[in-house]
Amino acid sequence: MIIDAHAHILPQRRLDGLSIWLGRVFPNHPLAGKSFTEDLIVKELSRNGVEYIFNYVFPMEASETEGLNLFNYNLGKKFKAIRPFGSLHVENEGKESIVDNCIKNFGFSGFKLHPYVQGFSPDDEKLLDAYERMEELGTLINIHTGFEDYYPQRENTITFSMIEGLIKRFSGLTFILPHMFYPRLSEALFLLENYENVYVDTTNIFSAIIQDEENGMNRDREREVLMDSLNKWSKRMVFGTDHPAGMSSADKIFSDFYSFKVNDTISRDLLYNTAHGLILRNGGLGG
Ligand SMILES: [Zn+2]
């Protein structure tokens, strides 16, 4: 049994946009130009043993937020496998009520922000009310870190100190840090070691190490830090595919993970137990 703790099933218009983007930025990507539907994504994941999917959406503009959260809510009704997460935009008015609606009415498990794509900084003052409300509700937030090369046109940065500042300020809010600031994995390891409200999401790291090595880069140090983190902290680490926006096809992403041959305990923690624990506290798997 697997929980894919990071996927992006989006409204069809956005999925179409994603295929175009992939084709333009990564023409050799196995999914470049391939068209996706929500049914196909769920099918490809379930073929790999995925039973539950944390589904992340994020609005590019404030006006998109309401429809996007409703889309994810409806997706959770359509597919038993989907655990929806909410999102918002820095320019939204009434962020507390957006947070309330997502958690209290929609029963979402938490929130996602993708500041590089959304075009704002995660520590923007205008977001603080939202974080405060999330903290009061004891929920989760997943904020993108690392992989700067993927976002050459970004206007903002997501720095270690910015994220650490939020983690300290909102110590009752559980942070899930996807990609562990790749390739600066030691930054994520430091946060795991020093703050109990930090979890990391290893999405894309296994495949990125493999692909970087295939491209002639030395990733021995990153392998070492990753294994060190896994050995010590697998109870606070999850794995996801990022499908259909990940490093490869869903099948290859899983085979890349398995190629690291981590022991059974670590594997169970990453593929199921940690994610399961996180959402048992936040709405559970049913409903
Ligand atoms: Zn993602």
Side-chain angles (χ1 to χ4, degrees), residues 16 18-24 26-27 29-36:
D16 295 343
L18 189 63
S19 332
I20 295 168
W21 175 81
L22 262 182
R24 203 175 49 218
F26 304 99
H29 193 289
L31 306 184
K34 178 172 171 176
S35 48
F36 278 97

Side-chain angles (χ1 to χ4, degrees), residues 11-132:
Q12 195 59 49
R13 178 183 59 82
R14 289 273 304 269
L15 285 178
D16 295 343
L18 189 63
S19 332
I20 295 168
W21 175 81
L22 262 182
R24 203 175 49 218
V25 184
F26 304 99
N28 299 322
H29 193 289
L31 306 184
K34 178 172 171 176
S35 48
F36 278 97
T37 61
E38 54 196 43
D39 295 270
L40 180 62
I41 296 165
V42 172
K43 198 169 119 195
E44 291 189 345
L45 292 176
S46 90
R47 186 172 73 208
N48 281 283
V50 171
E51 186 146 354
Y52 295 105
I53 300 165
F54 289 10
N55 195 53
Y56 292 131
V57 298
F58 43 86
M60 316 288 268
E61 287 168 28
S63 59
E64 215 188 338
T65 302
E66 198 182 339
L68 208 49
N69 286 331
L70 185 61
F71 165 84
N72 215 9
Y73 171 75
N74 287 326
L75 204 66
K77 293 286 158 213
K78 177 175 170 186
F79 298 100
K80 192 180 159 285
I82 299 284
R83 296 303 312 163
F85 281 64
S87 191
L88 45 78
H89 193 276
V90 72
E91 298 304 337
N92 278 123
E93 300 288 333
K95 293 188 186 64
E96 285 118 317
S97 61
I98 296 172
V99 171
D100 281 353
N101 186 44
C102 287
I103 300 298
K104 294 179 179 171
N105 299 331
F106 287 169
F108 285 179
S109 303
F111 293 85
K112 163 77 176 179
L113 291 178
H114 201 324
Y116 283 152
V117 180
Q118 295 182 277
F120 51 78
S121 280
D123 65 344
D124 191 307
E125 265 186 18
K126 288 182 283 205
L127 292 168
L128 301 180
D129 287 353
Y131 294 137
E132 207 166 289

